[in-house]
Amino acid sequence: MLVESPPEQSAAQAVAPRTRHGARAAGLLAALAVLALVAVASIAVGAKAMPLGEVWHGLFHFTGTTSDVVVRDLRIPRTLLGVMVGIGLGLSGAVMQALTRNPLAEPGILGVNAGAAAAVVSAISFFGASSLDAFVWWAFLGAALVSVLVYVLGGSRSATPVRLALAGTAASAALVGYINAVQLMDSKALDKLRFWTVGSLASATMDTVTQVAPFLLAGAVLALALGRPLNAMALGDDTARALGAHLTRTRIAAMVAITLLCGAATAACGPIVFVGLMIPHLVRIITGPDMRWVLAYSAVLSPVLLLGADVAGRVVTRPGELQVGIVTALLGGPVFIYLVRRKRMAQL
């Protein structure tokens, strides 16, 4: 015997999803507003104290003064690169965690950071590379090659999340050993790589921004398009196939997105930890497991964290500067320990 639901109950059930959708959309707009404020702070605040009037003059009335040059040539490229790299790290972290079904996944687990660093140290030691412009292309090439290697070692078409994670861990261990060996034998490579491996936005230029922007844009578009297939994969391979998801194509697309995002971000700034690991966890607490919202929020909140950490690093050690990779590690460690110890940790 069928029992009809009361009309008011059906109406409430229909309104609830719309209410959640509206709340998430409003939260995303609020996050965008916070990102805009942090970006303004990144331009206005630096290791050198500067009145807001001079910052305004440098933005809109450039006359070539020292303050104008600092704003136009240093702070604006640094802020733009921070936003782009933050988006890349946040999206790649969210996609990695969904692809490997591992809540601890971050750019290092698939060997991307190690591949980029190995390529850079090789370029310095064997090919005489010395500029950041050269580092960008070498690091991106290393990240791409290692991503392909990890996918092949993980089983290619039969790759599973566990195999990919194991292949990435093995590749990272081997590459770290290679990097350490080269640096011990070549002090020049050690000196040049030391600053890059800390993770920094300090060397940002408009050339760096324009070089990595196409890769980050392509990776971001691809990652955002994977929201629905990744939702299906979270239900298990059999269920995902039943829902029409193409698992091999989705995994390949995810690997390409991760390579583009992590490779370009790591090439431009060096390996920056905890952003791609921590932000997706915080986002899932807010949005739940729907990857479409997780990806959107991660793309906004990750640059908020990265730029905020960069501004803090410029302020707390004036007139010196604490690199952003150090600040994110100092902030991310305690916060992530808190998240792990929560009784109800956000699930993938």
Side-chain angles (χ1 to χ4, degrees):
M1 178 178 176
L2 296 175
V3 180
E4 247 183 65
S5 300
E8 59 273 13
Q9 183 179 345
S10 300
Q13 290 173 346
V15 170
R18 291 199 296 270
T19 302
R20 288 196 297 270
H21 181 84
R24 289 167 176 167
L28 188 59
L29 290 176
L32 285 168
V34 173
L35 175 58
L37 291 174
V38 176
V40 170
S42 178
I43 296 173
V45 180
K48 175 188 175 183
M50 187 182 299
L52 289 178
E54 293 185 12
V55 175
W56 181 267
H57 188 275
L59 284 171
F60 301 105
H61 307 285
F62 186 82
T63 57
T65 64
T66 301
S67 297
D68 290 351
V69 171
V70 168
V71 172
R72 285 284 184 95
D73 295 345
L74 299 179
R75 293 189 183 177
I76 290 178
R78 184 170 185 158
T79 301
L80 289 175
L81 189 63
V83 171
M84 290 170 19
V85 168
I87 292 172
L89 293 175
L91 286 176
S92 61
V95 172
M96 270 187 203
Q97 291 173 14
L99 177 66
T100 62
R101 297 177 199 160
N102 182 352
L104 298 179
E106 51 91 30
I109 198 170
L110 294 183
V112 177
N113 285 350
V120 169
V121 75
S122 299
I124 293 171
S125 185
F126 304 127
F127 298 98
S130 58
S131 67
L132 182 63
D133 291 345
F135 291 175
V136 167
W137 296 103
W138 280 98
F140 188 80
L141 176 62
L145 290 176
V146 170
S147 295
V148 173
L149 176 64
V150 167
Y151 184 72
V152 172
L153 293 177
S156 300
R157 291 181 178 274
S158 61
T160 64
V162 173
R163 285 182 179 179
L164 289 174
L166 289 174
T169 302
S172 294
L175 289 170
V176 168
Y178 167 77
I179 292 167
N180 291 335
V182 173
Q183 289 183 116
L184 287 173
M185 293 186 294
D186 188 346
S187 59
K188 179 181 68 174
L190 174 61
D191 290 338
K192 290 183 179 179
L193 193 67
R194 183 168 49 194
F195 182 78
W196 181 81
T197 54
V198 170
S200 173
L201 295 172
S203 300
T205 64
M206 286 307 298
D207 286 341
T208 307
V209 171
T210 55
Q211 283 177 347
V212 301
F215 301 109
L216 288 169
L217 178 61
V221 170
L222 182 56
L224 291 171
L226 289 172
R228 194 179 296 275
L230 290 175
N231 277 342
M233 287 180 63
L235 301 174
D237 289 359
D238 293 337
T239 304
R241 289 191 189 93
L243 292 174
H246 194 293
L247 299 185
T248 300
R249 185 169 58 197
T250 300
R251 287 186 178 124
I252 291 174
M255 290 291 291
V256 171
I258 290 167
T259 300
L260 290 169
L261 294 168
C262 287
T266 304
C269 302
I272 296 176
V273 298
F274 276 115
V275 176
L277 176 64
M278 182 170 56
I279 290 298
H281 276 286
L282 294 174
V283 167
R284 281 192 291 271
I285 294 173
I286 300 170
T287 67
D290 189 335
M291 284 301 299
R292 293 170 296 181
W293 287 104
V294 170
L295 290 168
Y297 268 80
S298 295
V300 176
L301 292 180
S302 293
V304 170
L305 172 61
L306 190 64
L307 285 181
D310 190 45
V311 171
R314 283 182 265 171
V315 171
V316 296
T317 57
R318 278 180 176 172
E321 182 174 323
L322 196 61
Q323 304 307 322
V324 67
I326 298 173
V327 179
T328 56
L330 292 174
L331 292 175
V335 172
F336 194 70
I337 290 172
Y338 166 75
L339 292 175
V340 170
R341 291 180 62 85
R342 281 173 57 94
K343 290 183 178 179
R344 295 185 61 191
M345 188 173 176
Q347 298 297 316
L348 285 173

